[in-house]
Each structure stands twice: as structure tokens, then as C-alpha cells.
């Protein structure tokens, strides 16, 4: 029997590479997990829709902590991706909430693919 599959609104990854760890990404990941737990946003909570994973280097080493999120494109087919640099807890929490709400993602500290391209 396969494992239970939990449909989600998105997947957040927080870099745990050495440069981001030097800028507090371990604490950021832990704080974000605690937040997802307390607010019942984690995928395994009733009503929760988010996955959160530690990642290896995301390629923004001089600008960490780095975070990226993948989610089904709210505007159509495919996958939306958003990348963030110099992430602190309040920004990470806003990204998580917007992903959960299927709302537009915050623009501050965002880099990478132009969402309007
Ligand atoms: S160590 Fe985090 S982006 Fe490279």
C-alpha cells in the first residue's frame, strides 16, 4: 500500500548551505516550522496546506538566508516559482501565508523569474 498523499498549496525550501547557516537559516527554518505548526498551516494539520523542507545551496550564497517556493500556478497550468534573498522570519511567514491563501506572493526581496514574464 502506498503512503498517504497530502495535496498541498505549495512547497517552501529554506537553504541550509554553509553561507545561509552563517546568516541564521537554521533558526529561520525552525521558527518557520514552529509557525506552520502553531497556525495549522503544515500539510499534516487539519486545514494545513504547506510543505517545508531544508535544502542544500540555492545559489544565492552572498545574499542568504535564501528561500524558494514552488506552487501550482494560481493563474493557470504549470508551476509558479518564487525565490527570496535575505529572508527574515516575518517575510518567510508572509510568503507561507500567501502560499496557503493562494494569494499573490510578496514582492520584497524576491528575485529570479519575472512573475509577469
Ligand atoms: S548557501 Fe544558501 S544559497 Fe548558497
Amino acid at each position: 500500500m502506498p503512503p498517504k498523499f497530502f495535496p498541498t498549496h505549495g512547497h517552501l525550501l529554506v537553504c541550509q548551505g554553509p553561507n545561509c547557516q552563517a546568516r541564521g537559516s537554521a533558526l529561520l527554518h525552525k521558527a518557520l516550522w514552529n509557525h506552520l505548526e502553531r497556525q495549522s498551516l503544515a500539510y499534516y494539520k487539519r486545514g494545513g496546506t504547506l510543505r517545508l523542507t531544508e535544502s542544500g545551496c540555492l545559489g544565492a550564497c552572498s545574499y542568504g538566508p535564501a528561500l524558494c517556493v514552488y506552487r501550482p500556478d494560481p493563474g493557470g497550468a504549470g508551476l509558479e516559482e518564487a525565490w527570496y534573498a535575505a529572508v527574515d522570519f516575518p517575510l518567510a511567514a508572509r510568503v507561507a501565508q500567501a502560499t496557503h491563501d493562494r494569494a499573490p506572493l510578496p514582492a520584497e526581496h524576491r528575485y529570479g523569474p519575472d512573475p509577469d514574464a
Side-chain angles (χ1 to χ4, degrees):
M1 189 153 106
K4 178 174 171 53
F5 178 72
F6 296 89
T8 60
H9 291 187
H11 192 164
L12 296 99
L13 299 98
V14 176
C15 178
Q16 296 301 314
N19 287 294
C20 286
Q21 283 212 337
R23 294 181 173 87
S25 67
L27 191 59
L28 176 65
H29 178 263
K30 187 173 175 51
L32 190 53
W33 252 128
N34 289 344
H35 179 70
L36 299 189
E37 282 262 331
R38 277 198 304 269
Q39 301 301 314
S40 291
L41 296 172
Y43 68 91
Y44 51 83
K45 295 282 197 177
R46 185 182 301 276
T49 65
L50 301 180
R51 292 180 186 276
L52 173 62
T53 303
E54 295 173 303
S55 84
C57 178
L58 294 174
C61 309
S62 298
Y63 305 92
L67 175 152
C68 74
V69 56
Y70 290 93
R71 66 177 182 176
D73 189 338
L79 210 55
E80 180 185 25
E81 60 180 308
W83 296 70
Y84 291 89
V87 177
D88 58 12
F89 171 72
L91 174 57
R94 285 198 298 280
V95 171
Q97 191 65 51
T99 304
H100 174 75
D101 294 340
R102 292 186 162 133
L105 293 165
E108 70 262 34
H109 292 220
R110 185 169 173 176
Y111 71 100
D114 180 350
D116 300 321

